[in-house]
Amino acid sequence: MAACLVVANSLFSSPGPLKPIAKKHRLQPISAPPLVHSPNPRKPISSTFLKPNFSLSDSCKIRFLSKASLGETDSSSEDPLPLVGEDSAAFDLGTQNIVSWVYFTVVLGVVLFILDVVWIDNSTGFGKAFVDAVSTLSDSHEGFDNKNLILRNLLWQIVMVALILIFATVHSGLASFRDTGEKLLGKRAYRVLFAGVSLPLAVSTVVYFINHRYDGVQLWQLQNAPGVHQLVWLSNFISFFFLYPSTFNLLEVAAVDKPEMHLWETGIMRITRHPQMVGQVIWCLAHTIWIGNSVAVAASIGLIGHHLFGVWNGDRRLAVRHGEAFEVVKKRTSIFPFAAILDGRQKLPEDYYKEFIRLPYLSITALTLGAYFLHPVMQAASFRLHW
């Protein structure tokens, strides 16, 4: 259950009518559009293609660039620029298909059942054998004296890092080959392959961390220090709002809807272009401060390293998929939280808070609080696996 909660947590609003464009921001065509003559000289031709939510990635539309679209904003203007990417966490209950959500529930149940039988259940699955194999490769009885506590404790760090490295290699590798894989297998089939391989490895890594989080060498002990519990709790709560922006489209995650590589631009993306990395760093720092031992440090180094690689790999993949549109979003967002806002490249709408008052963010709040109160249940479920 612990793994399922963690992994389940591991979908456009117009900014308003387009304002007149200042002379120095006048749009210039990349390539001249075909010459069109109006049948009525007195009636100007409609410019309906200049919508606020234009998409530079749509090859069917005439594509334009301006200083504003490239992120070179006018310091005298406080108005946010038109969206080039997608409005994240937009969820209209009235447009949802009940059949799709029933199908999603069935698919989720089937996946969890298969995961339990094939991987989690020690009597039928391969999860324990996999962890034992990694532990055996990391444990060299010739190189370590088992009577030496420090060297013996080092084994837990090696196994922890090895599990993270295996998961990161498979997860990022399959993500990198997504374009090729989708052409060969189709989008839904490749998503099933991606999840079917990544999910068991993620479960093993999470369960091993839970079971061995207090092993290793104790480096500091701050759990009884005033304010530490409150700081760690608040940091973990905030981290989940960064960690899971890509899981808003749950129907795509389960391949009920055809999976797409989205270019999000609103909500948490205005704060940082790589919220999952930021959330992982916050989560790791909070848990490392609380646990204070070498296993927590090793896990944090491995996870943060994996997500830092994901920053480069994610930008590369988005640039390949979305091209010019991604370059626009990249110029007016930042990797470091709030940097683009502070230097003026990102202009927040007056009603920016409304981008968070949406069902997906409310669901994250509920799941985060539920995970906190269910920590004892999660730990008990992991201990029973004896990994």
Side-chain angles (χ1 to χ4, degrees):
M1 181 178 181
C4 296
L5 283 172
V6 175
V7 175
N9 288 329
S10 86
L11 138 167
F12 240 79
S13 302
S14 172
L18 191 66
K19 295 188 175 182
I21 302 174
K23 183 176 181 180
K24 64 179 179 179
H25 291 317
R26 193 176 302 279
L27 297 172
Q28 298 296 331
I30 295 177
S31 58
L35 197 58
V36 180
H37 298 281
S38 172
N40 186 353
R42 296 183 179 180
K43 185 177 181 181
I45 300 173
S46 173
S47 299
T48 55
F49 55 82
L50 290 178
K51 296 180 180 179
N53 282 337
F54 64 94
S55 173
L56 295 179
S57 61
D58 190 347
S59 59
C60 297
K61 298 180 181 179
I62 300 177
R63 303 167 73 190
F64 286 89
L65 279 179
S66 67
K67 289 184 179 181
S69 68
L70 286 174
E72 300 176 14
T73 61
D74 184 356
S75 59
S76 63
S77 174
E78 296 297 329
D79 296 326
L81 296 169
L83 293 180
V84 174
E86 299 179 61
D87 187 12
S88 64
F91 186 87
D92 186 358
L93 189 61
T95 63
Q96 299 303 305
N97 187 343
I98 186 63
V99 175
S100 295
W101 286 102
V102 171
Y103 187 33
F104 169 81
T105 304
V106 172
V107 170
L108 181 62
V110 171
V111 169
L112 293 179
F113 175 78
I114 295 175
L115 180 65
D116 180 63
V117 173
V118 176
W119 198 259
I120 296 177
D121 192 327
N122 287 335
S123 62
T124 59
F126 297 94
K128 188 176 188 306
F130 168 72
V131 174
D132 289 344
V134 175
S135 301
T136 300
L137 291 174
S138 304
D139 186 0
S140 173
H141 294 286
E142 298 178 358
F144 295 109
D145 181 0
N146 286 332
K147 295 181 179 179
N148 189 316
L149 182 61
I150 296 179
L151 293 180
R152 187 182 66 183
N153 287 340
L154 183 62
L155 296 176
W156 286 306
Q157 287 80 262
I158 295 175
V159 176
M160 188 75 258
V161 172
L163 289 172
I164 294 174
L165 182 60
I166 293 171
F167 166 76
T169 301
V170 173
H171 185 80
S172 294
L174 288 174
S176 298
F177 287 104
R178 178 174 178 174
D179 289 343
T180 303
E182 288 181 346
K183 291 178 182 178
L184 294 174
L185 303 177
K187 293 184 177 182
R188 285 190 172 91
Y190 195 77
R191 173 55 59 87
V192 172
L193 173 65
F194 178 81
V197 177
S198 299
L199 192 57
L201 297 177
V203 169
S204 296
T205 306
V206 171
V207 170
Y208 189 87
F209 174 76
I210 293 177
N211 287 353
H212 297 278
R213 69 193 186 283
Y214 286 118
D215 294 329
V217 180
Q218 194 68 35
L219 303 174
W220 60 81
Q221 180 59 261
L222 300 176
Q223 293 185 2
N224 295 324
V228 170
H229 180 270
Q230 291 80 357
L231 174 63
V232 170
W233 189 94
L234 182 61
S235 298
N236 278 281
F237 183 81
I238 294 174
S239 73
F240 277 81
F241 286 92
F242 287 89
L243 270 169
Y244 300 110
S246 61
T247 59
F248 288 151
N249 289 13
L250 292 177
L251 295 180
E252 291 185 21
V253 173
V256 175
D257 288 348
K258 185 175 294 185
E260 302 291 343
M261 187 183 294
H262 295 277
L263 182 61
W264 305 121
E265 195 180 358
T266 63
I268 204 73
M269 311 303 288
R270 297 185 187 272
I271 297 176
T272 171
R273 191 169 67 253
H274 289 281
Q276 191 168 4
M277 179 273 294
V278 174
Q280 188 67 75
V281 170
I282 296 174
W283 186 94
C284 286
L285 291 178
H287 279 75
T288 301
I289 291 173
W290 181 254
I291 297 173
N293 65 16
S294 55
V295 171
V297 171
S300 294
I301 292 175
L303 289 172
I304 292 174
H306 170 47
H307 283 78
L308 290 177
F309 170 79
V311 169
W312 170 82
N313 197 34
D315 278 356
R316 181 190 64 81
R317 293 168 56 223
L318 287 172
V320 171
R321 180 65 66 95
H322 295 283
E324 184 180 292
F326 170 71
E327 295 302 323
V328 173
V329 173
K330 182 179 179 179
K331 283 180 171 63
R332 57 195 192 198
T333 56
S334 61
I335 297 174
F336 195 83
F338 299 103
I341 298 174
L342 294 176
D343 64 23
R345 290 181 290 120
Q346 176 65 237
K347 300 293 185 182
L348 298 180
E350 293 183 0
D351 56 352
Y352 174 57
Y353 67 94
K354 292 182 180 179
E355 295 181 359
F356 290 91
I357 306 178
R358 292 172 172 179
L359 184 59
Y361 284 111
L362 296 177
S363 300
I364 289 176
T365 302
L367 289 171
T368 303
L369 293 174
Y372 173 76
F373 290 110
L374 288 175
H375 260 56
V377 178
M378 296 164 59
Q379 293 164 8
S382 294
F383 291 153
R384 284 198 295 269
L385 295 177
H386 302 291
W387 291 0

